[in-house]
Structure formats: C-alpha cells, structure tokens
Amino acid sequence: MKETISERLALLREEMRREHIDAFIFPSTDAHNSEYVADHWKGREWISGFNGSAGTAVVTATAAALWTDSRYFLAAEAQLAGTPFTLMRLKVAGTPTISQWLGQQLSAIDGAVVGVDGSVNSYAAVEALQQELRQEGGITVRVNFDPLARIWTSRPPIPLHPIRIHPLSLAGETASSKLTRLRRALRGCHCDGMLVSALDDIAWLLNLRGNDVHCNPVFVAYLLVDTKRATLYINKVKVSAEVMAYLQAEGVQVEEYTAVGKGLADYFEYNILMDPDETNALLPRYVDARTRKVFATSPVPLMKAVKNEAEIAGFRQAMLRDGVAMVKFLSWLLPAVQAGNETELSIDRKLTALRAEQPMFRDISFDTIAGYGPHGAIVHYEATPETDVPLRPEGLLLLDSGAQYDDGTTDITRTIALGPVTEEQRHVYTLVLKGHIQLQLARFPKGASGTQIDALARIALWREGYNYLHGTGHGVGACLNVHEGPHQIRMEYRPAPLLPGMTVTDEPGVYLAGRFGVRIENTLLITEGVTTEFGEFLQMETLTWCPIDKTPIDPQLLLPEEEAWLDAYHHKVYTLLAPYLNEQERAWLEEACAPLRGSR
C-alpha cells in the first residue's frame, strides 16, 4: 500500500504537469455532497490511503498533505504513516488552512493554478476557495478537470442497485403531499423551483429507498422540482415497472441521471433555488442565463428532521427490537471474553448477526466501532484484520453501533467493563455518564439551538479539565442516514432550532490517547414540555432501550437526580425488553437493570 500511494501520486503529478496544474485538491464528498459516498467517489481515499469519512487531501508537485478533524487524528496518523502525506490537524493551533498552505507551497510560481473536480466540490466550497486563494497571491482555481478519470483505472462504477418503495404506513405522508409542502416552502422564499441534490432528501421526499451507499439506504439521483412538475434523474435500470408506475402516480417524471444538465438548461421558470452547500460547482453552469439562480439553504432538511407520527412509531419499534439484540449480545459478551478467542472483529460479527435475526432488519447503519483499551480512544476507530486485537477480561470496551430497519435507524454506544477497571477509568466513566444524564434531563425554551444546551453534557467534564472535540448530538434519519441535520448539539454555533419531533443523539465522551476511551449514547426524541408565563419549553424522550453498564460507576459522583434517572431508565429497559428474552437473558437483564445501590 505504501509504495502504491507513491505510485499513485506519481501518476497524478504527471497529469498535473500535462494540464499545467500546480496543485490538486481531493475532498471526501461525491457529486451530491454526501457525508458517506459510494466507492466510485472515494478518490481522496484512493490517492491518500486514509479512509475516514471526513478529510481533504492536497497534492502539489513536491508535497502532499491531508486535513482531518479530531475524530480521525489517531486513525489518520496510522494510515498515513510511511506515505508522502503529512497530517494536518484541523482546529489545532499552528495548523494552516488549506489555502494558507497552498499559498506557502506555491509562492514561487507565477500565475499558479489549483485544480478541483467541480462535480464533487460544492458551489459554496469552490466560491470560498477562489476568494481565499486570490488573497494568497492571486492563485486561480480550475474546476473542469478530474484526473481520476485518467489514472484510477480500477475505479468502481456508479452503483446500479434497484430502488424500492418505502411504504406509506412507515412514511406517514405521500410523496405528492411532501412535494406540495416543498413547493409551498419555496413560494415562501420567493422561488419557483429547486434542484434537490442531497440523496437522503430525495429518498425522503419520494418515499423511496436504495442501496447505493454502504449503510445508507439511498440511491444516486437528482430531483428537479418546479411549480408543476418534478423530475427524477436516475439511471433507469434501477427503476422497476412497479416503482415507475408509483412515481407517475405521485406526479414524478423519470429521466436518465446524466440528463440533469439538459434538464437544468431546459428549466423554464423565472428562478431556481440551489443550495450552495449541496449543489456541486458544475451544475449551476447549465442553468440558462435568463433564469435567476437563488443560492440559499434547502428547506428539505428541516422538513425531514421533524418526524411525523408514523415515523416516530417506527423509531419506537425499531429501537425496541434493537434493544433486544443488544441485550442478547451483552448477556453473551462477558462469558465469551472470559472463555477466550474473542476479538474486536469477532464481536462485531456477533452483534451484527443478532441484529440480523430481528424482523425488518436491512443492514447496519454505520460500520461498528468496537475499540478495546487504547483503541477506544480513537473516536471513529474501525477494526481491520491488521489492527484487530483479542479482548481480555479487564479494562473497557467502547462499542458504538447501529442498524437500519425498515421502520427506523438506530445509533447506540455503550462502554463496557470486561473485568477490573482502574480508578481513573471509573472516574472518567462516571463523569461521562453524568453528562449523558444531564442532557436527557434537559428542559429548554422552544426555539433554542443545540449549541445553547451543549454545555449540559460537558459541565462535569469541564470542571475537571476534560473535554471532547466532536459534537454531543446529531439527528437520526427515519430508515435513512444515521447522521441528519440541520440541527446538532455541539460547541460550535449551529443556529437550527430544536423542535418537537426531531430525533437527536446524546453522546458525550472522553478519549485518552494510548489508554482508553469512554462514550455513552442514546437516541432521543424532542417533545413538548411545559408552558409557563415565560413561554413553551421542550424536553427529551428516550428512544434507546439498553442497559448502561453499572460496573464502572462511582456512585459517590452521581447527584441524587442522576441516580434516580438511571434507576428509572433501567426499570423501563427491563419492563420493555424482558418479554422478548429467554430465561437466561431475562436473568442477566434483571441484574443489569437492578437499582444502582442494590447492585453493588
């Protein structure tokens, strides 16, 4: 692999010389600005060897660097070791931005040119890059060249998996009704139509699901909506006669995926909304000059984020079945570890198999993070045959996993004591648990954003000098992507308000490099709370049902309200899950859900 990366860079640099390009930038995204992408668009991984979901690789004639965030610092350091790439740690003091680094690297070149593939870079990203590079000595940006089309000879094709109809009983609203609501929202911002690029938005709007992206039930397509028509641009081989008839009945025409440029050129309305963060940089060029392009935020993510009654009911059922699978796994885990022969990868396979036994299971919702000991400190660790380690009956296992069911998407993290733990591990575990509980106890004014309540999950950590650099919570799709916006709970400002019907995770953590990591995560539903003379207040309803390991808890650190919440949560876990378990599993669950003071 290390020689291969060098060979690939040599091929790239030859193309750059041929095209008179002095640097080339590889993002993590696809033509739809997706977080997770089909193999066809994993160009950054191919050129650098780094396989995290977030990162940007930049190559000049003499240097190569990769920028990624704190979730991937340890993983990227390991994967880039021995390659020509230098790791650039985002948001760490002293790390230059990509533009600053390019300004330094290309300072001796008069009229330097930086290349990006405009089909996989968003319009907003390219606009910002052009402005920044102009300030770095007048560097220009070329967007119409994809070197991977020439040098990636084994590049996988764009996937052609068939799409399926998501039943109305689970969707809760017809596609035609959603399109009507979208047109109403567009009129509210004085737009006649829009190009929908985000794959999960298209799947949600049309009540369709696919299998084009690993762990995400989406399909590669565009949707062009105007005042009267909606046109789905998709490879027609993926559309069965049944789905075609369904779309026609919902008022949706179907054209080939590659015809989206012509569709934009033929668009006849006065203006068109294109979300600059979702639309790639090349597509606006197809729109006729007489049509006004409105670059504004898509209304679809907010529509999708507020779940209807059918979607909420689906979540509750999916979480119940997922909890059953988790309990079957947890009741098996410790005896299996004590018996020996279990590794990070083997327990991943076991958990996936138990989930697959549950009704309506489709797939996992992301690659399982099973990090034992020091691997638990790697925030998005993924075990491989090269990194896989055996589990021993001691220390902590961080297990972050989830599933795609037809009626809902799950995301849960448990940190599990496999045997004796140190006092430091017990202390950190309890601080993380305190933050997890305080967020679930939250009550906050309607319209508050996630930024305004993020500190509730961190305050116990901050008081002792601990912190984590990832977000505290993200939205979760209804049989859709496990990461969903526009709302988030995180330190960085996110203005999207928290509204009733939104799902959101609660996942504080602490990661001590080379030692261990702790994260505890439930998925929550935002609901109506109380109304007082000061206005409406919202609160959180727990959707995830699975015991939280009590073994590593230091009860002396918990406030009475935190211990009461934990005991009440465990009582409900037992009540909901016990009827679905055998005698041995019920006995294990009864002990796992016993009151904290009574279990020690």
Side-chain angles (χ1 to χ4, degrees):
M1 170 62 81
K2 294 177 182 177
E3 289 98 14
T4 302
I5 297 300
S6 296
E7 291 169 0
R8 291 170 182 175
L9 287 175
L11 291 171
L12 170 65
R13 286 168 172 147
E14 179 58 34
E15 293 299 327
M16 289 165 56
R17 282 191 291 271
R18 185 176 292 119
E19 295 290 331
H20 306 290
I21 291 174
D22 302 295
F24 205 89
I25 300 175
F26 296 89
S28 301
T29 55
D30 59 9
H32 306 267
N33 206 40
S34 306
E35 178 183 11
Y36 298 104
V37 303
D39 290 346
H40 175 81
W41 283 292
K42 292 183 178 179
R44 186 224 60 217
E45 178 180 338
W46 184 84
I47 199 68
S48 70
F50 169 64
N51 65 2
S53 66
T56 303
V58 186
V59 180
T60 70
T62 57
L66 183 132
W67 281 254
T68 192
D69 61 46
S70 62
R71 295 172 297 169
Y72 294 109
F73 286 169
L74 295 178
E77 185 175 18
Q79 292 179 6
L80 298 179
T83 76
F85 278 90
T86 299
L87 175 60
M88 297 290 185
R89 295 171 171 83
L90 284 170
K91 299 182 181 178
V92 172
T95 299
T97 66
I98 291 173
S99 295
Q100 289 169 343
W101 185 81
L102 283 171
Q104 296 163 7
Q105 294 290 321
L106 306 180
S107 59
I109 302 174
D110 185 32
V113 177
V114 171
V116 297
D117 176 3
S119 73
V120 296
N121 285 267
S122 72
Y123 178 85
V126 170
E127 287 289 299
L129 181 68
Q130 288 174 329
Q131 292 183 21
E132 292 169 5
L133 290 181
R134 275 197 291 268
Q135 298 172 4
E136 295 290 338
I139 300 171
T140 60
V141 178
R142 177 179 168 184
V143 299
N144 64 346
F145 177 57
D146 176 15
L148 296 176
R150 297 179 182 174
I151 64 176
W152 191 2
T153 55
S154 59
R155 187 175 193 174
I158 295 175
L160 297 176
H161 299 107
I163 57 176
R164 64 183 186 274
I165 300 169
H166 189 56
L168 181 59
S169 60
L170 300 177
E173 182 182 8
T174 65
S176 58
S177 172
K178 291 177 180 179
L179 289 169
T180 297
R181 283 206 290 138
L182 173 57
R183 291 183 175 105
R184 189 181 307 130
L186 291 171
R187 286 198 300 272
C189 55
H190 307 290
C191 290
D192 300 319
M194 74 169 292
L195 176 70
V196 186
S197 292
L199 303 185
D200 58 331
D201 288 355
I202 296 169
W204 178 82
L205 276 168
L206 299 183
N207 291 341
L208 296 173
R209 298 295 186 268
N211 194 35
D212 282 354
V213 180
H214 178 54
C215 298
N216 296 274
V218 297
F219 49 93
V220 175
Y222 293 101
L223 181 66
L224 183 58
V225 179
D226 59 39
T227 54
K228 296 179 181 179
R229 298 178 303 182
T231 304
L232 178 67
Y233 292 90
I234 185 172
N235 191 312
K236 290 184 181 180
V237 73
K238 298 156 70 167
V239 184
S240 67
E242 178 191 15
V243 174
M244 186 69 77
Y246 159 78
L247 287 169
Q248 291 173 350
E250 295 293 326
V252 180
Q253 303 175 29
V254 179
E255 297 291 347
E256 286 292 339
Y257 180 70
T258 53
V260 64
K262 183 178 185 303
L264 289 170
D266 293 341
Y267 178 84
F268 63 92
E269 304 275 12
Y270 172 70
N271 60 29
I272 182 170
L273 186 147
M274 306 180 94
D275 189 317
D277 292 315
E278 295 179 355
T279 307
N280 71 55
L282 294 184
L283 288 177
R285 300 182 174 200
Y286 288 99
V287 179
D288 190 284
R290 293 169 295 182
T291 300
R292 187 168 70 93
K293 295 185 282 279
V294 179
F295 293 105
T297 301
S298 166
V300 181
L302 182 57
M303 294 169 59
K304 179 172 89 271
V306 178
K307 308 298 188 276
N308 60 43
E309 291 183 6
E311 291 171 323
I312 292 171
F315 264 108
R316 292 191 174 118
Q317 292 303 310
M319 295 286 180
L320 188 65
R321 294 193 301 277
D322 206 59
V324 171
M326 283 293 300
V327 167
K328 288 178 178 290
F329 171 81
L330 291 173
S331 64
W332 164 87
L333 178 62
L334 261 61
V337 170
Q338 290 166 356
N341 299 321
E342 297 300 333
T343 72
E344 293 167 330
L345 284 177
S346 73
I347 65 166
D348 178 1
R349 291 191 293 269
K350 176 69 173 181
L351 179 53
T352 299
L354 289 169
R355 282 191 163 114
E357 294 175 358
Q358 295 298 313
M360 304 180 80
F361 174 84
R362 286 279 180 179
D363 197 356
I364 55 174
S365 56
F366 55 96
D367 287 317
T368 298
I369 300 167
Y372 175 56
H375 286 168
I378 304 173
V379 179
H380 274 203
Y381 171 74
E382 253 180 64
T384 67
E386 293 74 28
T387 66
D388 190 25
V389 295
L391 305 186
R392 301 187 303 275
E394 62 182 19
L396 296 175
L397 168 71
L398 190 156
L399 185 65
D400 188 349
S401 65
Q404 294 286 3
Y405 299 95
D406 283 335
D407 51 356
T409 302
T410 69
D411 186 1
I412 175 175
T413 306
R414 291 294 182 263
T415 301
I416 306 147
L418 298 183
V421 297
T422 67
E423 285 307 307
E424 180 187 38
Q425 289 170 334
R426 188 181 305 280
H427 190 75
V428 169
Y429 181 94
T430 309
L431 292 178
V432 171
L433 177 61
K434 286 170 66 69
H436 176 83
I437 294 173
Q438 284 299 327
L439 190 58
Q440 296 210 42
L441 290 171
R443 183 171 284 173
F444 49 92
K446 187 175 184 178
S449 76
T451 306
Q452 293 167 301
I453 65 171
D454 177 80
L456 295 173
R458 299 180 190 261
I459 190 67
L461 298 172
W462 285 350
R463 282 175 176 156
E464 300 201 24
Y466 294 103
N467 198 16
Y468 53 97
L469 299 182
H470 61 72
T472 300
H474 57 81
V476 179
C479 187
L480 267 176
N481 295 1
V482 73
H483 291 163
E484 189 176 88
H487 61 295
Q488 295 183 44
I489 301 176
R490 62 186 311 118
M491 288 194 299
E492 298 86 355
Y493 180 55
R494 293 293 187 272
L498 300 175
L499 300 173
M502 287 179 167
T503 54
V504 68
T505 61
D506 171 9
E507 48 182 310
V510 168
Y511 313 94
L512 301 174
R515 291 142 72 190
F516 65 92
V518 175
R519 183 162 66 249
I520 301 171
E521 175 188 20
N522 282 349
T523 300
L524 315 177
L525 175 71
I526 300 172
T527 66
E528 301 283 356
V530 299
T531 301
T532 72
E533 60 186 301
F534 298 99
E536 296 180 58
F537 288 78
L538 304 180
Q539 57 195 27
M540 310 281 203
E541 173 191 325
T542 307
L543 292 175
T544 302
W545 302 111
C546 175
I548 295 170
D549 193 357
K550 296 175 296 184
T551 308
I553 296 175
D554 180 353
Q556 303 308 314
L557 294 179
L558 293 184
L559 298 173
E561 67 177 4
E562 293 165 351
E563 185 172 340
W565 179 92
L566 184 66
D567 287 345
Y569 175 73
H570 278 148
H571 176 75
K572 190 162 184 179
V573 167
Y574 183 81
T575 301
L576 289 173
L577 301 185
Y580 301 95
L581 304 171
N582 64 34
E583 185 176 352
Q584 177 269 326
E585 293 160 349
R586 279 197 304 273
W588 179 90
L589 183 62
E590 185 175 17
E591 171 59 26
C593 292
L596 179 64
R597 302 285 174 166
S599 66
R600 299 187 65 85

